[in-house]
Amino acid sequence: MGIFKDIFSQTSFRRKLKQMEKTAESTYGKGYVLFELGRYEEALERYDEAAAILDEMQQMLLENSLEEEATNVDKRAMDIRFNKCFILFKLQRYEDALEIIDEALNKNPEDPKIIFSKGFVLFSISRYEEALEMLERAIEMQPELPDAWYCKANALYQIEHFEDALEAYEKAIEYAGIMNFEFPRYSFLNINPDPTLKTNAAGVWYSKANTLDKLGRKEEAIEAYRSALEIKQAFPDAWYYLGNCLAEVGRDEDAVTAFTNAIMIEPDFNAARENKAEILLKLGREEEAKETLEYEPKTGN
């Protein structure tokens, strides 16, 4: 009878583990839905509950000398705890997010995605030099990680290293064509980023254009803005800055068109209206300038 008792006991043990795993994943899934709904505090609670269930599973497996399975469960629990940094970032609890990321790095110090995530958070709180150090590490490990290049470029732009920023934007564009952003504009903000990347690539072209503009390379900036707009036409800021560049090189009619497109997308874009009106006055089209400035923004009921 002993052998049958052992088999029954093992079957019961496996059934319990399976149920615990199912409960943990269901709880995590609920947390993710809450995250998507913007109910961040509740999402954090579900993530912690899911990880706690997996911790209990790991302990049970270790007690039964199932080390390999215990290791796999521990990795899943670490993944869930790491994903809390997405929520903490949304809550603007940046130091807490960094603490979670550092805990993950202690266990996986050579993971470029985790290293990138730290660089991204540091960039978001304007710690640009520290961010660049982390981003360089991520790029060294995974050179074709476009989000790391994009974030590096933005950090360089912020500290006014425009030539270096331009080179990094070009790398981001190059690698965006062959793989997805791993974390967000950053896919860090979206656990399941758009697999086509094309909308994100519009942001990279736009940032490259801004850098070229800062360097006084107006014609190249115009082409870069147009590249962004080929990908994402409903991009009012790109139309606006394109209009500014066109005006600066004397292409007034094209500038009017660009400002008009910005206004069509975003009617309350006052800077675009003012710049359009200024050019229309310059062109002697006073009535059109007046109509452009007479817009009254809609107010709520």
Side-chain angles (χ1 to χ4, degrees), residues 244-286:
N244 287 342
C245 276
L246 289 165
E248 288 179 39
V249 298
R251 293 161 61 179
D252 292 334
E253 291 290 353
D254 290 339
V256 168
T257 299
F259 290 132
T260 299
N261 287 335
I263 294 164
M264 287 176 63
I265 298 163
E266 191 175 315
D268 293 340
F269 203 150
N270 291 329
R273 287 186 176 279
E274 291 168 4
N275 288 7
K276 177 182 176 181
E278 183 179 338
I279 296 174
L280 288 169
L281 285 172
K282 175 184 172 183
L283 295 170
R285 292 153 63 178
E286 295 183 7

Side-chain angles (χ1 to χ4, degrees), residues 101-141:
I101 293 167
D102 282 338
E103 288 174 5
L105 277 175
N106 285 336
K107 295 186 177 181
N108 297 288
E110 302 301 316
D111 189 324
K113 296 179 184 180
I114 300 174
I115 294 168
F116 163 73
S117 69
K118 182 171 183 179
F120 174 75
V121 176
L122 289 167
F123 166 79
S124 300
I125 56 177
S126 303
R127 290 162 61 178
Y128 300 125
E129 297 293 347
E130 294 172 81
L132 284 167
E133 182 181 343
M134 300 305 298
L135 295 165
E136 289 286 2
R137 281 182 59 193
I139 289 167
E140 185 177 346
M141 293 177 186

Side-chain angles (χ1 to χ4, degrees), residues 86-104:
F86 296 94
I87 306 173
L88 293 165
F89 184 91
K90 287 285 192 179
L91 288 168
Q92 298 184 9
R93 290 168 53 184
Y94 302 119
E95 293 301 330
D96 291 338
L98 286 171
E99 185 177 336
I100 293 287
I101 293 167
D102 282 338
E103 288 174 5

Side-chain angles (χ1 to χ4, degrees), residues 63-74:
E63 288 172 358
N64 285 270
S65 301
L66 298 168
E67 286 83 4
E68 185 175 347
E69 291 181 57
T71 298
N72 291 335
V73 169
D74 183 49

Side-chain angles (χ1 to χ4, degrees), residues 98-247:
L98 286 171
E99 185 177 336
I100 293 287
I101 293 167
D102 282 338
E103 288 174 5
L105 277 175
N106 285 336
K107 295 186 177 181
N108 297 288
E110 302 301 316
D111 189 324
K113 296 179 184 180
I114 300 174
I115 294 168
F116 163 73
S117 69
K118 182 171 183 179
F120 174 75
V121 176
L122 289 167
F123 166 79
S124 300
I125 56 177
S126 303
R127 290 162 61 178
Y128 300 125
E129 297 293 347
E130 294 172 81
L132 284 167
E133 182 181 343
M134 300 305 298
L135 295 165
E136 289 286 2
R137 281 182 59 193
I139 289 167
E140 185 177 346
M141 293 177 186
Q142 191 172 339
E144 297 179 357
L145 186 60
D147 251 4
W149 282 109
Y150 187 21
C151 192
K152 176 184 175 180
N154 286 341
L156 289 165
Y157 182 93
Q158 290 297 326
I159 61 175
E160 300 186 358
H161 291 191
F162 297 124
E163 291 286 358
D164 292 335
L166 182 60
E167 183 179 330
Y169 284 128
E170 288 171 351
K171 286 289 186 181
I173 290 167
E174 177 185 351
Y175 295 130
I178 60 172
M179 67 177 290
N180 300 339
F181 276 151
E182 298 292 344
F183 276 91
R185 248 186 22 207
Y186 299 89
S187 41
F188 180 84
L189 302 177
N190 181 357
I191 293 173
N192 294 306
D194 178 358
T196 66
L197 182 66
K198 295 195 76 176
T199 299
N200 290 326
V204 187
W205 277 108
Y206 169 75
S207 298
K208 177 182 177 180
N210 289 342
T211 307
L212 288 164
D213 188 18
K214 286 284 188 182
L215 291 168
R217 294 159 62 176
K218 302 296 181 183
E219 291 294 345
E220 292 175 80
I222 288 168
E223 291 306 310
Y225 284 126
R226 292 199 184 281
S227 293
L229 290 163
E230 284 177 9
I231 296 168
K232 183 182 177 184
Q233 289 190 336
F235 198 158
D237 284 347
W239 283 114
Y240 172 73
Y241 285 106
L242 172 61
N244 287 342
C245 276
L246 289 165

